[in-house]
Amino acid sequence: MTDLTPNNSFLIAGIVFITIAVIGKSKLAFIEINPGFFGRVLALFIGISSLLYALGLLNFSAGTLDLLRTSLTEQIKQSISSINELLQRS
């Protein structure tokens, strides 16, 4: 029997919420699901967020954020130097 890891939990939750958002009003055995407009939008948002987290696209670590910050500062420095060169030529 397999263990239910957090990644699998987010994958299952994402699929369930996306299904609720797409189908909307439905009956499942004795349970009636009728989320309304706001509930469907909320279910769509939660479902997409859960699926993205399960795929690892929303799972940022501190190292990833530091790498993003350094690359962003390097791009800003290059842009400023390019702008300065263009201004000096004019």
Side-chain angles (χ1 to χ4, degrees), residues 63-78:
T64 306
L65 292 176
D66 288 339
L67 179 64
L68 181 65
R69 185 180 308 132
T70 56
S71 68
L72 187 61
T73 54
E74 289 297 322
Q75 288 178 357
I76 290 172
K77 287 177 184 177
Q78 289 176 357

Side-chain angles (χ1 to χ4, degrees), residues 3-48:
D3 291 333
L4 194 62
T5 63
N7 198 21
N8 289 343
S9 300
F10 279 108
L11 186 64
I12 291 169
I15 292 170
V16 167
F17 279 112
I18 293 288
T19 304
I20 290 171
V22 170
I23 293 175
K25 184 178 180 180
S26 64
K27 286 188 178 183
L28 180 64
F30 59 91
I31 300 172
E32 182 177 345
I33 300 171
N34 187 10
F37 176 75
F38 179 71
R40 289 177 77 173
V41 171
L42 185 63
L44 182 66
F45 177 73
I46 292 172
I48 290 173

